[in-house]
Amino acid sequence: MTRTTYPLSVLMCSPEHYTVEYTINPWMHPEVPTDGSLVMKQWESLRDTYERLGVDINYIEPAPGLPDMVYAANGATVMDGIAYTASFRYVERQPEGPLYADWLRSAGFRVVEAQAINEGEGDILTVGATVYAGTGFRSTLESHQELREVFGREVVSLTLVRPEFYHLDTCFSVLDGREGSELIAYLPSAFSPDAVAELQRRFPDAVLVDEDEAGVLALNLVSNGADVVMPVGAAKFTAALEERGFRTHLLDLSELRKGGGGIKCCTLTLR
Ligand code: ARG
């Protein structure tokens, strides 16, 4: 199958102030040191890959004291020219919401302030016309209702059940987000039985990923419909994608995984 690309426009935040100094997910161990120069190199390898693929990259200024701000995907949900703001579950990340909102406002998006707790594209992913929204750890069902009101789209709630896959983007990937050619990958065991049934019904062709490969955050990837930017260490998943006609671009973001994030987490899509 020949795959075609679609244009991507993204927002990224340099890991200048990244460290692991608190624990809000099971990946985070403040006693394990992070390497500031290595994390910068790894993040730059992601940025360089996007540049090579012709992705339109925008940058937000990193703020001191907000070590998780590098995970730009959590900053908002941006679609149809509207930015629905993030309202973070944990106090440590709460100041990030307004910083992302300010950036988006000055970039010309119509900013709608969330009333309900939600962590942006960490939990809210669009495939075709439909929004898939995670809940169980971070974003609330109330935020899914707000999404329906703000975007006027169908929103499918998916309950997450495993603490190490606390955000939807750690266990669900959008391989092709275009209407008519929707394709996803996911880790079934990260979802409640109801959510798995819903995913099976909607995506009978989905790529299913193994435990061990999801465990390197292999599902935390970015695709333009033909090129998949994903982590090293998931040989079976990589082969499955190549078999389906995708070109894979493998990166090592091990330092960012210490915070519980990967490629997608560092990337907010602007639509
Ligand atoms: N330490 C961050 C947190 O727990 C990691 C966020 C990862 N981002 C993501 N989109 N999954 O909030």
Side-chain angles (χ1 to χ4, degrees), residues 22 24-25 28 68 71 73-74 88 90 93 119 121-123 138 166-170 220 259-262 264-266:
Y22 48 78
I24 57 172
N25 71 55
M28 301 176 83
D68 275 337
Y71 302 115
N74 299 122
F88 285 87
Y90 296 110
R93 297 197 66 185
E119 298 198 349
E121 275 205 324
D123 273 326
R138 301 287 180 91
Y166 58 96
H167 272 147
L168 184 63
D169 71 358
T170 63
N220 197 253
K264 170 61 203 162
C265 300
C266 294

Coordinates of all heavy atoms in Angstrom, one line a residue, residues 22 24-25 28 68 71 73-74 88 90 93 119 121-123 138 166-170 220 259-262 264-266, ligand 1:
Y22 N 9.6 15.4 41.0 CA 8.4 15.0 41.8 C 7.9 13.8 41.1 O 8.4 13.4 40.0 CB 7.4 16.1 41.9 CG 7.0 16.8 40.6 CD1 6.2 16.2 39.6 CD2 7.6 18.0 40.2 CE1 5.9 16.8 38.4 CE2 7.3 18.7 39.0 CZ 6.5 18.0 38.1 OH 6.2 18.6 36.9
I24 N 4.5 12.1 39.7 CA 3.0 12.1 39.4 C 2.6 11.0 38.5 O 1.5 10.9 38.0 CB 2.6 13.5 38.9 CG1 3.3 13.9 37.7 CG2 2.7 14.5 40.0 CD1 2.7 15.2 37.0
N25 N 3.6 10.1 38.1 CA 3.3 8.9 37.4 C 4.3 7.9 37.7 O 5.4 8.2 38.2 CB 3.1 9.2 35.8 CG 4.5 9.5 35.2 OD1 5.4 8.7 35.3 ND2 4.6 10.6 34.5
M28 N 8.3 8.1 37.1 CA 9.1 9.2 37.6 C 9.8 8.8 38.9 O 9.1 8.5 39.9 CB 8.3 10.4 37.8 CG 7.6 11.0 36.6 SD 6.5 12.4 36.8 CE 7.7 13.7 36.8
D68 N 8.2 19.8 33.6 CA 7.4 18.9 32.7 C 6.8 19.7 31.5 O 6.1 19.2 30.6 CB 6.2 18.3 33.4 CG 6.6 17.0 34.1 OD1 7.6 16.3 33.7 OD2 5.9 16.6 35.0
Y71 N 6.7 18.6 27.8 CA 5.7 17.7 27.2 C 4.5 18.6 26.7 O 3.4 18.7 27.3 CB 5.2 16.7 28.3 CG 6.3 15.9 28.9 CD1 6.7 15.9 30.2 CD2 7.0 14.9 28.1 CE1 7.7 15.2 30.7 CE2 8.0 14.2 28.6 CZ 8.4 14.3 29.9 OH 9.4 13.5 30.4
A73 N 2.4 18.3 24.4 CA 1.1 17.7 24.0 C 0.1 18.0 25.1 O -1.1 18.1 24.8 CB 1.2 16.2 23.8
N74 N 0.5 18.1 26.3 CA -0.4 18.3 27.4 C -1.0 19.8 27.5 O -1.9 20.1 28.3 CB 0.2 18.0 28.8 CG 0.6 16.5 28.8 OD1 1.8 16.2 29.0 ND2 -0.3 15.6 28.6
F88 N -4.6 21.2 34.5 CA -3.8 20.0 35.0 C -4.3 19.4 36.3 O -4.8 20.1 37.2 CB -2.3 20.4 35.1 CG -1.6 20.5 33.8 CD1 -1.7 21.7 33.1 CD2 -1.0 19.4 33.2 CE1 -1.0 21.8 31.9 CE2 -0.4 19.5 32.0 CZ -0.4 20.7 31.3
Y90 N -2.5 17.8 38.6 CA -1.6 18.0 39.7 C -1.0 19.4 39.8 O -0.7 20.0 38.8 CB -0.4 17.0 39.7 CG -0.9 15.6 39.8 CD1 -0.8 14.7 38.7 CD2 -1.4 15.1 41.0 CE1 -1.3 13.4 38.8 CE2 -1.9 13.8 41.1 CZ -1.8 12.9 40.0 OH -2.3 11.7 40.1
R93 N 2.0 21.0 37.8 CA 1.9 21.3 36.4 C 0.9 22.4 36.1 O 0.8 22.9 35.0 CB 1.6 20.1 35.5 CG 2.7 19.1 35.6 CD 2.7 18.1 34.4 NE 2.9 18.7 33.1 CZ 2.8 18.1 31.9 NH1 2.4 16.8 31.9 NH2 3.1 18.7 30.8
E119 N -5.9 17.1 30.4 CA -4.4 17.3 30.1 C -4.2 17.3 28.6 O -3.3 16.7 28.1 CB -3.6 16.3 30.9 CG -3.8 16.6 32.4 CD -2.7 16.0 33.3 OE1 -1.9 15.2 32.9 OE2 -2.8 16.4 34.5
E121 N -3.8 17.1 24.6 CA -3.6 16.0 23.7 C -3.0 14.8 24.4 O -2.8 13.7 23.7 CB -2.7 16.4 22.5 CG -3.5 17.1 21.4 CD -2.8 16.9 20.1 OE1 -1.5 16.9 20.1 OE2 -3.5 16.8 19.1
G122 N -2.6 14.9 25.6 CA -2.1 13.7 26.4 C -3.3 12.7 26.4 O -3.1 11.5 26.3
D123 N -4.5 13.2 26.6 CA -5.7 12.4 26.7 C -6.7 12.6 25.6 O -7.7 11.8 25.5 CB -6.4 12.7 28.0 CG -5.9 11.9 29.2 OD1 -5.5 10.7 29.0 OD2 -5.9 12.4 30.3
R138 N -6.2 11.1 34.6 CA -5.9 12.6 34.6 C -7.2 13.3 34.1 O -7.8 14.0 34.9 CB -4.8 12.9 33.6 CG -3.4 12.2 34.0 CD -2.8 12.9 35.2 NE -1.6 12.3 35.6 CZ -0.3 12.7 35.2 NH1 -0.2 13.7 34.3 NH2 0.8 12.1 35.6
Y166 N -1.1 6.1 31.9 CA -2.0 7.1 32.5 C -2.6 8.1 31.6 O -3.6 8.7 31.9 CB -1.2 7.8 33.7 CG 0.0 8.5 33.1 CD1 0.0 9.8 32.8 CD2 1.2 7.8 32.9 CE1 1.1 10.5 32.3 CE2 2.3 8.4 32.3 CZ 2.2 9.8 32.0 OH 3.3 10.4 31.4
H167 N -1.9 8.3 30.4 CA -2.5 9.2 29.4 C -2.8 8.4 28.2 O -2.1 7.5 27.9 CB -1.4 10.2 29.0 CG -1.3 11.5 29.8 ND1 -0.1 12.1 30.0 CD2 -2.3 12.2 30.4 CE1 -0.3 13.2 30.7 NE2 -1.6 13.3 31.0
L168 N -3.9 8.8 27.5 CA -4.3 8.1 26.3 C -3.1 7.9 25.3 O -2.9 6.9 24.6 CB -5.5 8.8 25.6 CG -6.1 8.1 24.4 CD1 -6.6 6.7 24.8 CD2 -7.1 9.0 23.7
D169 N -2.3 9.0 25.2 CA -1.2 8.9 24.2 C -0.1 8.0 24.5 O 0.9 7.9 23.8 CB -0.7 10.3 23.8 CG 0.1 11.0 24.9 OD1 0.3 10.4 26.0 OD2 0.6 12.1 24.6
T170 N -0.1 7.3 25.7 CA 0.9 6.3 26.0 C 0.4 4.9 25.5 O 1.2 4.0 25.6 CB 1.1 6.3 27.5 OG1 -0.1 5.9 28.2 CG2 1.6 7.6 28.1
N220 N 3.7 6.1 21.8 CA 3.8 7.6 21.9 C 4.5 8.1 20.7 O 5.7 8.5 20.8 CB 4.5 7.9 23.2 CG 4.2 9.3 23.7 OD1 5.1 10.2 23.6 ND2 3.0 9.6 24.1
G259 N 10.6 10.9 32.7 CA 9.5 11.7 33.2 C 8.1 11.1 32.8 O 7.1 11.6 33.2
G260 N 8.2 10.0 32.1 CA 7.0 9.3 31.7 C 6.4 9.8 30.4 O 5.3 9.6 30.1
G261 N 7.4 10.3 29.5 CA 6.9 10.8 28.3 C 7.8 10.4 27.1 O 8.9 10.0 27.3
G262 N 7.3 10.7 25.9 CA 8.1 10.3 24.7 C 7.8 11.3 23.6 O 7.5 12.5 23.8
K264 N 5.4 11.8 21.2 CA 4.1 12.5 21.1 C 3.9 13.5 22.2 O 3.4 14.6 22.0 CB 3.0 11.4 21.0 CG 1.6 12.0 21.2 CD 1.2 13.0 20.1 CE 0.1 13.9 20.5 NZ 0.1 15.1 19.6
C265 N 4.4 13.1 23.4 CA 4.2 14.0 24.6 C 4.9 15.3 24.3 O 4.5 16.3 24.9 CB 4.8 13.3 25.8 SG 4.1 11.8 26.3
C266 N 6.0 15.3 23.5 CA 6.8 16.5 23.3 C 6.2 17.3 22.1 O 6.8 18.3 21.7 CB 8.2 16.2 23.0 SG 9.1 15.5 24.4
Ligands
ARG1 N1 5.7 13.9 33.9 C1 4.6 14.2 33.0 C2 3.2 14.0 33.7 O1 3.1 13.0 34.4 C3 4.6 13.4 31.7 C4 3.6 13.8 30.7 C5 3.7 13.0 29.5 N2 2.9 13.6 28.5 C6 2.0 12.9 27.7 N3 1.4 13.5 26.8 N4 1.8 11.6 28.0 O2 2.3 14.7 33.6

